[in-house]
Amino acid sequence: MNIHSFLDHYTVTLGALLAGRRKFFDRGVESLDFAELLATTALRLPEIGGEGIYEVAADTVAGTLDPAFYVAQWLGPEHPTLIYHHGNNERPFDFGRFSKNSFKNVVLDHRQDFAANLIALRAPFHRSLRTYMEQMTELRNFAAMLTVSVKLAEALVQWSRTQGSPRVLLTGVSLGGWVTNLHRAHYNTADHYAPMMAGAALDEVFTSSAYRRLTGRAARDNPEALRRVLNFEAAFTAVPDDADARNGVTALLMRHDAIIVYERQKVCYDPARVTVLDKGHTTGALAFGALRAFLLAQIPADKG
C-alpha cells in the first residue's frame, strides 16, 4: 500500500469513528431505482437574472429537498457553458480563504482561465455536516439526493441552450462525477461529459472499497439492495459514445484510489478517453491544479 492508498484508508477509518452510528444506510436500504426516482421527482428553475446563487425546491419521494445553483460567471450566450457539481459532503458555496471547496479552488479562483459560462450546483442535504450525516443513514435519501442533482443539471443544460450557449459541458468530482454519469445514462443532453473520480458501479463504493467501513451493517448485509438501486452500468454503457472527441465522455481517474477503485470503475469508459493520475482519492481531490488542467483541456473542444 502506497501513501495515496494509505491516506484513503486512514481518512475513511477516521470518518467511521466520527460517524459512530450514523453510517451510510444503517437505518434502511429501501429505495426506488434511479429511473423510478427521476419519473417521480419534479423541480422548476427560478427566474435567472444574472450571476448569483439561486435556491430551488424539489418535490421527491423523500419530501421537498433543497438544491441550489450558482451562476458564477456569465460571459454571454456565444460562449460554452460548464456546469460543475461538487464532491461528497462539500459546502460548495463556501468561498472563504481557507475553504477546501473544489469548485472554488479548481474553477472559481481561476475563472479568468475559463473561456466559458460557469455554473455550480449544490446537492440537497449539503448545507451542514450534521444534516448530511443524519440523512445519509437511509438509502432512499441518498438516491433522492443524486436524482435531484441530475434533474437540476438537466434543467440547467436546457436553460443554457435557451440562452444560446453553443455547447454545454457537465462535470463534477467524486459525488459530482457520479451525478455527471447518471445524467448521461438517463438524459445524454449535454454535449460533453467530464466525470472526475467516478464510474457507473456506485454500489461497489459501499460494498467492496475502503468506504465499506462507513457503510452501516444493514447495507453491508444486503449488498443486492445497494446493487439494484446504485449500479447503473447497464444504462451508462448502453449510451453510445460519440467518435468525435468533442462529444461523449472524457474521464479522469486516480490509479491508487481506494474508494473509487480504478480497476473496477475504468471498465465503463473507452480506455482511449480516460486520463489517469498516480494519486488516490484524498490526494487526487486535493490536486486542484491537476483537476483544473483536466477541465481546461475540455474547454477548447467546446467553443462551438
Side-chain angles (χ1 to χ4, degrees), residues 75-133:
L75 298 178
E78 70 278 9
H79 289 270
T81 298
L82 185 151
I83 301 173
Y84 182 100
H85 194 291
H86 60 85
N88 180 56
N89 198 27
E90 286 189 36
R91 307 281 84 76
F93 302 155
D94 175 6
F95 306 129
R97 180 179 178 185
F98 300 108
S99 171
K100 298 301 182 184
N101 166 4
S102 64
F103 178 71
K104 173 185 182 297
N105 288 282
V106 175
V107 179
L108 188 64
D109 285 352
H110 302 268
R111 70 185 85 181
Q112 70 279 359
D113 297 332
F114 288 83
N117 304 314
L118 304 174
I119 302 175
L121 277 60
R122 187 193 73 209
F125 309 132
H126 277 73
R127 291 179 182 271
S128 72
L129 173 61
R130 181 176 181 178
T131 297
Y132 179 77
M133 292 181 67

Side-chain angles (χ1 to χ4, degrees), residues 59-76:
D59 295 323
T60 81
V61 295
T64 301
L65 303 188
D66 62 342
F69 63 95
Y70 173 37
V71 181
Q73 174 170 278
W74 190 261
L75 298 178

